[in-house]
Amino acid sequence: MTVIPRTRRAALVSAVCTLVVSGLGLTGCGGEDPDEGTNGVGKLEPAKIQSTTKAAATAADTVRLSGAVVSNGKTYKLDMRLKEDGGTGSVTSGDSTFRLLKVGEHLFLKADADFWDHEDPGKKGGEDHGDSETAAADKLDGMYVKVPTGDPAYKRFSGFTDKDVLLNSLLTLHGTLSREGHHEQSGTRTIRITGDKGSGGTLDVSLEGTPYPLRLVRAGDAGTILLTDWGQDFTLEEPDEKSVVDYGKQLPTS
């Protein structure tokens, strides 16, 4: 029996491996390091991955959020671009789609007549004002409505345009954190972390460049959000006066 020296045996294995890989297009015999050439986040503990990606998200100037969020039994489909001083985009709830624009503390809402008729802006004290409601809705059709900060609608809608509020509420997984392997999101390599093996949500974090969060599946089937366009600037401007109705002064109340 011929005994092959260890060094020669290792060289022979390496040579065979190289032939197999090159001939069949495989990725390697010994297994490649999935974190090679990445930002290194995939090697961190899950809690550290979560805190690192939240810090990166907070530090970013801008982001785009698209997808669905379930809140209080309602599903909201979002497509929002956010920055530190406001945001703009669309929100769909049921059959109604409306646009939101927030510049500093000024919140504007734009929707069609059906949305405003459903909102019953002309109702006061539970009294039905019939035709006046339809007239009010028609007046608001396609106009930006400036919502005062003290109105309940301001609190209801402004959260969709607040970058820090949205990210802080979305990017927290619940339960015991764990790594769930390497994945890919829109062509970008990611590391996935989960809370309670997925029941507490899952989060895909970029392994390329800055470790931004790229995809979030919320706990309890509460929606899936894609986070894109990190750091891509856009302009926020208030609409011109001819396109704005002041919610506090112009809406009929009787």
Side-chain angles (χ1 to χ4, degrees), residues 38-163:
T38 72
N39 55 26
V41 170
K43 298 180 180 180
L44 302 177
E45 292 300 315
K48 184 62 175 177
I49 295 174
Q50 179 174 248
S51 64
T52 298
T53 197
K54 289 181 71 173
T58 301
D61 293 330
T62 63
V63 64
R64 180 177 182 178
L65 273 68
S66 58
V69 172
V70 180
S71 178
N72 297 322
K74 290 186 176 182
T75 298
Y76 297 93
K77 295 181 180 178
L78 310 180
D79 189 358
M80 299 295 302
R81 299 186 70 185
L82 309 174
K83 59 195 320 183
E84 294 301 329
D85 57 347
T88 183
S90 64
V91 179
T92 299
S93 177
D95 295 329
S96 297
T97 297
F98 53 92
R99 293 197 62 82
L100 291 172
L101 171 63
K102 187 167 181 280
V103 184
E105 292 300 314
H106 296 165
L107 176 65
F108 303 88
L109 193 156
K110 182 178 181 180
D112 60 19
D114 289 341
F115 172 85
W116 291 113
D117 195 38
H118 177 72
E119 289 292 302
D120 290 337
K123 275 190 178 181
K124 187 176 181 180
E127 185 179 352
D128 188 358
H129 294 275
D131 293 341
S132 66
E133 293 177 5
T134 301
D138 289 341
K139 183 178 181 180
L140 299 175
D141 184 17
M143 299 288 288
Y144 278 102
V145 174
K146 186 176 182 180
V147 185
T149 56
D151 193 285
Y154 187 93
K155 182 177 181 180
R156 177 182 173 188
F157 294 121
S158 63
F160 289 118
T161 62
D162 191 310
K163 172 179 172 286

Side-chain angles (χ1 to χ4, degrees), residues 41 46-55 57 167 170-174 177-183 185 190-195 197-206 211-219 223-227 230:
V41 170
K48 184 62 175 177
I49 295 174
Q50 179 174 248
S51 64
T52 298
T53 197
K54 289 181 71 173
L167 291 180
L170 291 175
L171 297 181
T172 299
L173 302 178
H174 303 282
L177 299 181
S178 61
R179 278 191 299 260
E180 291 296 328
H182 292 70
H183 296 266
Q185 177 61 39
T190 65
I191 182 69
R192 179 174 297 171
I193 56 174
T194 67
K197 297 183 178 180
S199 63
T202 71
L203 185 63
D204 280 50
V205 178
S206 176
Y212 291 126
L214 300 183
R215 181 177 182 268
L216 169 74
V217 179
R218 303 183 70 209
T224 299
I225 294 290
L226 301 182
L227 303 100
W230 289 101

